Amino acid sequence: MKAMLLLSLMLLGAAPPGAAPSSLPPEALGAPPLVDVSPTAWACTIDTLRAGKECVFEAEMPPAGAPSSDVEKANVKLLQDASRALCTEAVSNARDGQPDPKLVTVCERKYAAVVGRCGLEGGTSVVDSKGRFSPAARACYRALSTVLQDVQLMATVASTCCECAARSQCPGNGEACYADVSRQQAAPAALACMDERCHDACSMMLPSSASIPRPAPARGSQRTGSASL
């Protein structure tokens, strides 16, 4: 009985005669793997720069060649052309779609000061053909990212206040206002003016009213005279 049971199991497990061969040809096992060279989600690109995301400098660049002024100019121009869009978007996103042309101008000026150093001496392109930043552009990318993040902070905490300060002709308005307010370094006279004329717009970044130094009131001329009898 046991022998018949074992024989039945062996017959069930055996491959039927004339079974179809594998559909995978033998040479396919030795074929080289297919490589997707498109940028990954972690590649450093203009999009990650715009979003302020952490990224990987995964571009594959040819060995650096002799310095070329044409390559250097092309690197700077490529990034400079993106400045208006990046700065406008950085300010607008931080302000829920509200523009601040003056802060965009501040951003473009700061961006231009950095991008001028992104030519990489013309030894290699700043991005590859897939739009990925070159590993040699790491310092450039970080500097540009810092500019955009600083401007976003200014837009978030200082923009509304500085717009009011400019309208109210408070001292220290303009470009200096954005940096001073976002760092809480505004001068006493500016703080007093903002507290008096722009309290609602600046309340988030102002110290308590009681702690703000106030300029001493101007003393009026006192006229003394002797009464004639």
Side-chain angles (χ1 to χ4, degrees), residues 68-75 122:
S68 166
S69 60
D70 290 339
V71 173
E72 184 173 12
K73 291 176 182 177
N75 286 341

Side-chain angles (χ1 to χ4, degrees), residues 90-101 103 154-156 159-160 163:
V91 173
S92 179
N93 286 349
R95 302 192 68 204
D96 296 327
Q98 295 297 317
D100 184 346
L103 185 53
M154 293 179 189
T156 301
S159 188
T160 302
E163 285 178 330

Side-chain angles (χ1 to χ4, degrees), residues 57-92:
F57 294 89
E58 63 178 34
E60 295 183 2
M61 310 295 293
S68 166
S69 60
D70 290 339
V71 173
E72 184 173 12
K73 291 176 182 177
N75 286 341
V76 172
K77 185 178 186 304
L78 175 69
L79 297 177
Q80 187 64 59
D81 288 347
S83 64
R84 171 55 64 97
L86 290 173
C87 286
T88 300
E89 189 171 324
V91 173
S92 179

Side-chain angles (χ1 to χ4, degrees), residues 187-215:
L191 289 174
C193 180
M194 292 174 187
D195 185 53
E196 179 181 344
R197 303 177 187 177
C198 301
H199 184 80
D200 290 342
C202 300
S203 59
M204 183 172 67
M205 299 302 294
L206 286 175
S208 64
S209 297
S211 66
I212 297 176
R214 307 284 174 173

Side-chain angles (χ1 to χ4, degrees), residues 63-186:
S68 166
S69 60
D70 290 339
V71 173
E72 184 173 12
K73 291 176 182 177
N75 286 341
V76 172
K77 185 178 186 304
L78 175 69
L79 297 177
Q80 187 64 59
D81 288 347
S83 64
R84 171 55 64 97
L86 290 173
C87 286
T88 300
E89 189 171 324
V91 173
S92 179
N93 286 349
R95 302 192 68 204
D96 296 327
Q98 295 297 317
D100 184 346
K102 185 175 291 186
L103 185 53
V104 171
T105 301
V106 171
C107 175
E108 289 182 312
R109 189 179 301 119
K110 292 178 177 293
Y111 186 100
V114 171
V115 82
R117 305 195 299 267
C118 292
L120 306 184
E121 299 181 348
T124 185
S125 296
V126 71
V127 297
D128 66 6
S129 60
K130 304 294 182 181
R132 300 173 295 191
F133 274 83
S134 162
R138 182 178 281 103
C140 164
Y141 182 97
R142 297 300 186 198
L144 294 176
S145 179
T146 297
V147 168
L148 296 177
Q149 290 176 20
D150 286 349
V151 167
Q152 286 179 324
L153 174 63
M154 293 179 189
T156 301
V157 304
S159 188
T160 302
C161 177
C162 291
E163 285 178 330
C164 179
R167 290 192 302 268
S168 303
Q169 298 183 339
C170 289
N173 65 66
E175 181 174 342
C177 177
Y178 293 99
D180 291 344
V181 170
S182 62
R183 298 169 186 165
Q184 297 186 318
Q185 295 177 346

